[in-house]
């Protein structure tokens, strides 16, 4: 199956040269089929299908501004879907990712406000808190050997409660105070939540970050030793350890990477909306995970890519906004979303099956 | 194994974090504007305290965690409890079955009175019957205007969501709106649907509903932007909660739309937006009043046998309009988180 092609980088020793290609046991498959067998190609076709569909069904989608809006929506999902996907390739799972975004935003906002600090202080501490949450998740998974599903379900509930209780305790309300008039806000907004004009179209900066992060993640996965470690610990933890892969380090760092993503998106939300409601974020974890799965990351680990989740997130943004651009009956909103996504995943699956069945 | 050495270095991370935070604090990176220092220490309303014997009242709502609106209801209830020498037990669950269990829990605790919201009246029917059998007075608040009497509640405090929607619809007529989009942040919520239905009923122009994912602000923003692009004729956006109104303002900019924004419910930032004119007006159902009156009424009933509305009529707490003309008077209470 699709795992086989990724099992290769999992072994750190170089593949045995020579006989493999010429001994006749495996004949070279046509380029098109080999290409189709890659998980990200299936999701690319799915995304393209959804895009073309809405291009026809919803005239406003053809405008540049609409595309910028769709990409913005995709990018806020996509920036989180990337580390979530890497974590899944590494064989683990994070259910706390959605509320962790809000935890980070709340930390930055409340710390700056309550201590009347420059907002960068809050931003820095929030980063440390987010990385700390990731570290704790990873550390517990590695130490206890419990499924990450259970560990992060626990942290999901803890964070959800803490978000609410601490916010209430500190601010006396369930939402944070407006920090938009504080020192450093303007700068931070420029970094995390600005936008610029391209040919009269307003483009949000998160789109750029999204693509840059995806490029970095792709490079790390395919070109670095760390990338090999990620595939290895997700494919087979024990044999990875046997060949000298630092399993604990790899897993914990992947959880911390999710923490970093949560911090980044949390900061984006804080600096674009000025205040944060403590009850938000619940349910988002499933959207991030869906984007990663649609993007070709296996729930069992060991396979996937960084570019796949980019298309997965795009598909989410495209369908979510496309339905509105098409002006369809909003009662069916969630049902449309589900059908579209399931359809796209099935195309993805079918493409992969046809390509690999030989 | 190398595993332990890795985790040992990693274990230092939290300490490093705390140390870094402390260092930053000491570095004196304080903000010269905004922040807590700029707000005066203002406490909420406080009246005298009743000398009546201590009683216990349970307030059981269908609040979802982290919702600003319910936080205000609870503050009102707490204020009344403090004044009346009442011990207030607050509990909430958006799931009707769980909410009914919470009411049962209150009965088991032998409280002196129960205030309950009736978002799903049928689910609470049995347990309210049990409270009556146990001789515990029950009052309704917020939702359930059409059902409180059938269920045998003593009195009811709230706003008819449909009536509030109708009032907003009429207001839109006088504002000269032609096409309205009503933004629902929680698909399938009865109260929210009734508000939009009310608007539709009295508004003479056309009304459309838009569902957004309320737990994800960036997606709320993009979806409203998408709607405004899809239908350029929209000249008024109506949101059903204060945070969504503030987000809708950003969507207008993104979509390059000239539409205006009106909303249900208030908060601190919203009053600022109304005085600045970025949001036109808000329909306030005075949640503080709902919580306050519900608890206070149980005290009155126990100590003087009174019941508001005589058990026949509900006591309406809204709809009250907050716009540029009266926002200044409301703003300072909103800043306290009580309006």
């Amino acid at each position: 199956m699709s795992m086989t092609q990724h099992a290769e980088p999992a072994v750190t020793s170089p593949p045995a040269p020579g006989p493999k290609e010429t001994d006749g046991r495996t004949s070279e498959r046509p380029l098109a089929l080999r290409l189709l067998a890659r998980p990200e190609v299936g999701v690319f076709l799915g995304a393209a299908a959804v895009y073309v569909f809405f291009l026809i069904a919803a005239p406003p989608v053809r405008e540049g501004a609409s595309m910028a809006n769709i990409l913005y929506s995709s990018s806020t999902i996509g920036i989180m879907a990337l580390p979530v996907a890497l974590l899944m390739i590494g064989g683990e799972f994070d259910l706390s990712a959605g509320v962790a975004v809000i935890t980070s935003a709340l930390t930055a906002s409340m710390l700056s406000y309550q201590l009347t600090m420059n907002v960068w202080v809050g931003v820095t501490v929030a980063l440390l808190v987010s990385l700390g949450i990731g570290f704790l998740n990873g550390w517990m998974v590695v130490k206890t050997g419990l499924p990450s599903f259970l560990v992060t379900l626990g942290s999901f509930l803890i964070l959800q409660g803490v978000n609410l209780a601490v916010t209430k305790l500190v601010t006396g309300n369930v939402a944070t105070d407006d920090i938009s008039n504080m020192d450093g806000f303007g700068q931070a907004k420029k970094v995390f939540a600005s936008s610029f004009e391209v040919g009269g179209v307003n483009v949000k900066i998160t789109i750029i970050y999204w693509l840059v992060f995806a490029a970095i993640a792709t490079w790390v996965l395919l070109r670095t030793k760390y990338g090999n470690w990620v595939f290895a610990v997700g494919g087979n933890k024990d044999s990875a350890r046997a060949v000298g892969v630092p399993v604990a380090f790899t897993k914990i760092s992947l959880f911390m990477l999710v923490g970093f993503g949560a911090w980044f998106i949390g900061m984006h939300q804080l600096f674009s909306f000025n205040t944060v409601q403590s009850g938000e974020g619940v349910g988002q974890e499933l959207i991030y995970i869906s984007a990663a799965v649609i993007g070709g990351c296996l729930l069992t680990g060991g396979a996937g890519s960084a570019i796949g989740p980019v298309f997965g997130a795009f598909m989410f943004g495209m369908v979510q906004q496309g339905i509105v651009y098409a002006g369809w009956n909003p009662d069916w909103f969630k049902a449309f979303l589900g059908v579209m996504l399931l359809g796209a995943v099935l195309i993805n699956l079918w493409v992969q099956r046809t390509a690999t069945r030989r | 194994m190398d595993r332990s050495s890795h985790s040992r270095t990693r274990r230092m991370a939290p300490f490093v974090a705390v140390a870094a935070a402390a260092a930053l604090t000491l570095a004196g990176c304080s903000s010269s504007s905004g922040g807590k220092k700029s707000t005066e220490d203002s406490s909420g309303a406080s009246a005298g305290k009743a000398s009546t014997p201590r009683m216990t009242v349970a307030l059981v709502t269908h609040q979802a965690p982290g919702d600003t609106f319910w936080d205000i209801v609870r503050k009102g209830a707490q204020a009344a409890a403090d004044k009346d020498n009442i011990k207030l037990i607050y509990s909430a669950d958006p799931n009707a079955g769980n909410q009914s269990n919470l009411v049962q829990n209150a009965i088991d605790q032998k409280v002196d009175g129960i205030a309950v919201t009736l978002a799903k009246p049928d689910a609470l029917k049995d347990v309210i019957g049990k409270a009556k059998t146990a001789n515990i007075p029950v009052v309704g608040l917020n939702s359930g205007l059409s059902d409180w009497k059938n269920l045998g509640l003593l009195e009811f405090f709230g706003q008819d969501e449909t009536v509030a929607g109708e009032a907003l619809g009429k207001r839109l007529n006088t504002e000269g709106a032609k096409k309205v989009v009503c933004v629902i942040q929680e698909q399938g919520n009865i109260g929210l649907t009734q508000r939009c239905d009310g608007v539709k009923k009295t508004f003479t122009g056309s009304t459309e509903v838009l569902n957004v994912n309320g737990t994800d602000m960036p997606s709320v923003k993009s979806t409203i932007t998408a709607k405004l692009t899809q239908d350029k004729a929209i000249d008024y956006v109506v949101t059903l909660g204060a945070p969504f109104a503030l987000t809708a303002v950003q969507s207008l900019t993104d979509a390059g739309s000239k539409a205006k924004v009106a909303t249900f419910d208030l908060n601190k930032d919203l009053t600022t937006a109304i005085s600045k004119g970025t949001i036109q007006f808000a329909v306030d159902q005075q949640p503080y009043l709902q919580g306050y009156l519900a608890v206070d009424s149980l005290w009155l009933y126990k100590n003087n046998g009174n019941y508001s509305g005589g058990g026949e009529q509900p006591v309406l707490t809204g709809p009250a309009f907050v716009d540029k003309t009266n926002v200044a008077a409301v703003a300072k209470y909103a800043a306290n988180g009580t309006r």
Side-chain angles (χ1 to χ4, degrees):
Chain A
M1 316 272 184
S2 58
M3 264 188 84
T4 49
Q5 76 211 315
H6 289 292
E8 261 172 13
V11 183
T12 39
S13 59
K20 208 171 184 187
E21 266 125 36
T22 50
D23 71 353
R25 277 181 296 178
T26 54
S27 55
E28 182 91 355
R29 288 181 294 137
L31 180 72
L33 277 181
R34 270 186 295 150
L35 210 59
L36 277 178
R38 296 201 60 80
E40 54 271 28
V41 174
V43 65
F44 170 73
L45 291 178
V50 168
Y51 176 60
V52 170
F53 176 81
F54 279 110
L55 218 48
I56 296 162
V61 171
R62 295 166 210 162
E63 290 169 33
S66 306
M67 208 55 227
N69 186 38
I70 290 166
L71 284 175
Y72 167 64
S73 189
S74 312
S75 70
T76 57
I77 297 168
I79 289 174
M80 266 310 265
L82 274 174
V84 166
L86 294 190
L87 180 68
M88 280 173 73
I89 297 172
E92 302 294 346
F93 206 70
D94 193 348
L95 285 176
S96 68
V99 286
V101 170
I102 304 302
T103 306
S104 201
L106 290 171
T107 308
S109 171
M110 288 193 294
L111 198 99
S112 319
Y113 186 87
Q114 297 297 330
L115 304 179
T116 321
M117 288 281 178
N118 188 303
V119 294
W120 284 105
V121 177
V123 170
T124 313
V125 175
L127 174 62
L128 297 172
V129 167
S130 288
L131 292 177
I133 293 167
F135 171 77
L136 282 176
N137 275 337
W139 182 75
M140 272 192 288
V141 165
V142 171
K143 270 282 165 200
T144 60
L146 285 170
S148 49
F149 183 90
L150 282 179
V151 171
T152 59
L153 182 64
S155 41
F156 164 72
L157 295 171
I158 293 170
L159 290 181
Q160 206 185 335
V162 166
N163 281 358
L164 184 59
V166 172
T167 310
K168 187 81 195 280
L169 213 61
V170 172
T171 69
N173 298 306
V174 291
T176 62
D177 298 280
D178 186 356
I179 60 163
S180 63
N181 58 350
M182 295 182 65
D183 286 0
F185 187 91
Q187 283 174 350
K189 192 179 172 82
K190 275 212 179 74
V191 173
F192 293 106
S194 59
S195 55
F196 54 92
E197 298 271 323
V198 176
V201 173
N202 184 283
V203 178
K204 297 270 190 299
I205 198 151
T206 48
I207 301 174
I208 306 298
Y209 283 120
W210 178 38
L211 299 178
V212 169
F213 288 161
I216 295 173
T218 304
W219 178 78
V220 168
L221 265 186
L222 299 179
R223 289 280 176 273
T224 67
K225 194 162 74 174
Y226 183 78
N228 280 344
W229 291 351
V230 174
F231 279 112
V233 296
N236 189 329
K237 192 173 63 179
D238 297 326
S239 39
R241 184 172 286 135
V243 296
V245 173
V247 174
F249 168 77
T250 310
K251 292 213 168 188
I252 292 176
S253 61
L254 284 171
F255 273 105
M256 290 175 76
L257 202 61
V258 175
F260 176 82
W263 168 74
F264 196 88
I265 285 298
M267 292 310 103
H268 169 68
Q269 295 204 12
L270 175 60
F271 293 109
S272 40
F273 301 105
N274 312 341
T275 57
V276 194
Q277 292 226 91
S278 57
E280 281 175 32
V282 179
Q284 286 305 104
E285 65 284 343
L286 293 180
I287 291 177
Y288 305 142
I289 292 167
S290 311
V293 172
I294 292 167
C297 296
L298 291 188
L299 283 164
T300 47
S305 67
I307 197 73
V310 170
F311 293 120
F314 171 75
M315 207 133 86
F316 245 101
M318 184 71 240
V319 175
Q320 203 170 25
Q321 308 311 328
I323 290 167
V324 180
Y325 282 121
W328 291 342
N329 182 347
D331 294 346
W332 291 92
F333 181 72
K334 292 229 167 107
F336 280 135
L337 196 66
V339 168
M340 282 284 191
L341 288 173
L342 209 53
V345 180
L346 286 175
I347 294 178
N348 186 357
L349 187 74
W350 175 78
V351 166
Q352 277 192 47
R353 286 232 174 113
T354 358
T356 46
R357 190 185 299 135
R358 272 270 137 171
Chain B
M1 298 214 334
D2 69 335
R3 192 174 119 195
S4 56
S5 72
H6 274 292
S7 51
R8 196 172 302 129
T9 50
R10 296 274 138 190
R11 211 173 295 157
M12 293 299 290
F15 300 107
V16 174
V18 170
L24 281 165
T25 313
L26 291 172
C29 307
S30 58
S31 174
S32 57
S33 61
K36 194 181 176 71
K37 275 187 188 159
S38 69
T39 57
E40 297 164 317
D41 190 32
S42 43
S43 49
S46 71
K49 194 168 177 178
S51 55
T52 47
R54 186 100 169 140
M55 62 185 273
T56 309
V57 165
L59 171 59
V60 187
T61 75
H62 63 278
Q63 170 191 19
D67 189 322
T68 315
F69 179 89
W70 289 103
D71 195 40
I72 302 175
V73 173
R74 188 176 170 182
K75 279 181 185 159
Q78 191 61 54
D82 291 345
K83 188 203 72 178
D84 294 338
N85 193 20
I86 288 173
K87 180 186 168 203
L88 181 74
I89 303 170
Y90 181 82
S91 58
D93 201 305
N95 175 301
N98 294 343
Q99 197 198 352
S100 125
N101 286 341
L102 291 172
V103 177
Q104 181 63 52
N105 184 314
I107 297 170
D108 297 341
Q109 293 189 53
K110 301 193 168 48
V111 295
D112 300 295
I114 298 173
V116 68
T117 63
L118 304 173
K120 283 155 193 156
D122 293 337
L124 292 172
K125 200 171 174 177
D126 288 350
V127 79
I128 287 171
K130 283 186 197 162
K132 288 180 73 182
T133 322
N135 277 323
I136 300 173
V138 184
V139 301
L141 70 151
N142 182 259
S143 43
L145 191 80
S146 52
D147 298 280
W148 69 277
K149 236 158 112 182
N150 301 338
L151 294 183
L153 265 52
L154 201 62
E155 43 198 347
F156 182 86
F157 307 90
Q159 156 184 274
D160 186 331
E161 299 291 10
T162 316
V163 170
E166 287 170 2
L168 193 138
K170 281 183 203 152
R171 175 76 181 245
L172 288 176
N173 291 337
T174 61
E175 299 270 329
K178 300 265 180 306
K179 182 151 200 186
V180 166
V181 62
C182 191
V183 183
I184 294 186
Q185 73 270 19
E186 193 189 326
Q187 193 176 347
N189 178 315
I190 294 181
L192 299 184
T193 314
Q194 285 172 342
R195 287 179 176 181
C196 287
D197 288 348
V199 173
K200 200 168 193 167
K201 217 157 135 190
T202 52
F203 180 54
T204 49
S206 66
T207 312
E208 259 192 83
V209 169
L210 177 69
N211 289 321
V212 296
N213 176 9
T215 58
D216 183 26
M217 263 317 168
S219 119
V220 171
K221 180 161 130 183
S222 321
T223 307
I224 299 174
T225 307
K227 187 68 199 174
L228 291 168
T229 315
Q230 183 257 329
D231 192 343
K232 307 260 191 215
I234 291 168
D235 56 1
Y236 243 99
V237 179
V238 172
T239 59
L240 308 182
F244 306 102
L246 295 160
T247 302
V249 172
Q250 296 194 12
S251 299
L252 294 175
T253 320
D254 279 3
S257 165
K258 293 236 175 342
K260 290 172 173 169
V261 180
T263 187
F264 288 85
D265 301 341
L266 273 183
N267 71 16
K268 184 159 66 173
D269 298 336
L270 196 81
T271 51
T272 317
I274 290 177
S275 44
K276 272 197 225 151
T278 48
I279 289 171
Q280 306 304 307
F281 62 91
V283 175
D284 184 18
Q285 60 172 308
Q286 309 195 77
Y288 187 88
L289 195 56
Q290 292 179 359
Y292 187 95
L293 291 179
V295 170
D296 203 33
S297 72
L298 286 161
W299 178 82
L300 280 167
Y301 181 73
K302 186 170 171 102
N303 291 292
N304 204 35
N306 293 126
Y307 37 105
S308 312
E312 289 294 323
Q313 292 296 322
V315 179
L316 297 183
T317 60
F321 282 93
V322 176
D323 58 17
K324 217 165 182 173
T325 60
N326 64 352
V327 69
V330 174
K332 72 174 179 195
Y333 304 115
N336 289 343
T338 56
R339 262 309 281 273

